[in-house]
Amino acid sequence: MKLTPDDIQQIHSYLAQHGLTTREVRADVLDHICTLLEQESDELDLATAKAFIETTFPPEVIQQIQADTLYYLTLKSKTNMLKLIFTTGYIAICLLILGICFSNYPMGSEFIFYWAPYLSVAGVVIFCFGFLPSLFMYSYQRFLERVKQ
Amino acid sequence: MYSKELLKGTLKPLILKILSDKEEMYGYQIVQTLKEVTGGQILVREGSLYPILHSLKAEGILSCRSVFLGERERKYYSITEPGKASVKAALEELKNFVELLQSVITPLPSTIP
């Protein structure tokens, strides 16, 4: 089947309309569909071609391609974000516990008493400026993904 | 046809293997080559192929070259120079995994009580 620019534009609109918003993947899928149709018989009419596209690439498949692309592309950043959340959370809690314990440690030396408040402050700073922002950012990204789906 | 679960973890190395045998390929070609090589036993769905290709590109394992065919764009994927080491590692891992599965599925006669 020979595809006209108008046919290609219609396929493009069909993909965009059903949620394939990532430009690069849309270009790939568009080329894939066009190649598939070109392999078909020359006698294939537009109505049959449309039905063929809707069967091979129903809206749910298109949405799945988009969702999978986003998943794969953001997998690394999500993993890094989770690592940051857990690391900052762990360090902040450790510092806070150490700070509280050292400031009340009956056998503590002057050196420990001197550093105890700094440990607590460092714990609070990491908690407020490391743990909480990364947690909020991660939760916000998850929320946006859910809304888009 | 093999189950989706079996194919899930092996698709990435299989795509990389096919790409490593040729200089560059576009999506449809990859699907067809995999179909031919496996005698139609492994059919990659477009829904699985393109997200994987784009994630490999984002990781720097693949690079792509665009060619405009009139109104549409065709992207040829190829393995990058730094990506070649990742391909080798992925194929080695798959090979070891298959050998391990083989040893579990068909244990040596001496090990059977």
Side-chain angles (χ1 to χ4, degrees):
Chain A
M1 183 188 181
K2 185 86 185 143
L3 291 165
T4 64
D6 191 44
D7 297 336
I8 295 171
Q9 193 51 48
Q10 276 191 40
I11 302 168
H12 184 275
S13 305
Y14 172 77
L15 294 174
Q17 191 191 328
H18 289 102
L20 197 54
T21 51
T22 310
R23 201 201 68 82
E24 293 209 322
V25 183
R26 194 169 58 221
D28 268 333
V29 178
L30 175 69
D31 179 52
H32 192 101
I33 295 175
C34 292
T35 316
L36 268 174
L37 289 172
E38 282 165 357
Q39 306 290 321
E40 291 294 320
S41 152
D42 280 344
E43 288 156 21
L44 195 72
D45 60 287
L46 201 62
T48 321
K50 263 186 181 173
F52 174 77
I53 296 168
E54 280 165 12
T55 319
T56 325
F57 288 88
E60 54 271 22
V61 168
I62 295 169
Q63 283 152 17
Q64 191 60 49
I65 294 174
Q66 178 63 29
D68 285 351
T69 306
L70 285 180
Y71 170 78
Y72 281 116
L73 292 180
T74 56
L75 186 64
K76 211 171 184 179
S77 68
K78 268 184 198 161
T79 315
N80 288 341
M81 189 66 95
L82 277 175
K83 271 184 196 165
L84 184 70
I85 292 170
F86 282 110
T87 313
T88 50
Y90 180 75
I91 292 172
I93 287 169
C94 286
L95 288 172
L96 275 171
I97 290 172
L98 284 175
I100 292 165
C101 289
F102 285 168
S103 60
N104 298 307
Y105 188 52
M107 306 288 281
S109 66
E110 265 189 40
F111 178 78
I112 289 175
F113 278 122
Y114 178 77
W115 284 104
Y118 289 102
L119 289 177
S120 304
V121 169
V124 171
V125 168
I126 292 172
F127 187 80
C128 293
F129 297 102
F131 176 76
L132 288 179
S134 48
L135 182 68
F136 286 140
M137 207 182 286
Y138 181 75
S139 308
Y140 181 64
Q141 282 171 355
R142 293 291 309 269
F143 169 74
L144 284 182
E145 276 169 24
R146 259 181 261 137
V147 168
K148 276 180 191 168
Q149 279 171 10
Chain B
M1 278 282 286
Y2 292 100
S3 73
K4 210 175 163 184
E5 282 73 25
L6 275 176
L7 289 176
K8 217 172 180 178
T10 53
L11 207 50
K12 228 178 197 179
L14 285 178
I15 292 170
L16 289 173
K17 169 71 184 145
I18 282 176
L19 275 168
S20 66
D21 290 342
K22 292 260 176 78
E23 208 159 282
E24 56 178 16
M25 289 173 110
Y26 59 94
Y28 183 81
Q29 253 184 325
I30 298 172
V31 175
Q32 291 305 311
T33 310
L34 201 55
K35 196 175 158 186
E36 275 168 31
V37 168
T38 62
Q41 291 290 303
I42 294 179
L43 296 175
V44 186
R45 294 194 186 281
E46 302 76 20
S48 317
L49 176 74
Y50 293 110
I52 288 177
L53 285 177
H54 283 268
S55 77
L56 289 167
K57 194 182 149 214
E59 285 172 40
I61 297 171
L62 297 184
S63 64
C64 88
R65 180 176 69 88
S66 291
V67 173
F68 284 88
L69 306 169
E71 290 293 307
R72 69 181 206 256
E73 182 185 359
R74 174 166 288 169
K75 288 206 228 96
Y76 287 88
Y77 292 90
S78 58
I79 294 167
T80 59
E81 211 48 53
K84 281 178 183 167
S86 309
V87 175
K88 204 178 165 191
L91 291 177
E92 193 62 34
E93 190 185 15
L94 182 64
K95 199 178 153 204
N96 291 341
F97 184 62
V98 170
E99 279 171 8
L100 183 71
L101 285 182
Q102 191 69 34
S103 68
V104 174
I105 295 164
T106 50
L108 293 169
S110 59
T111 60
I112 301 169

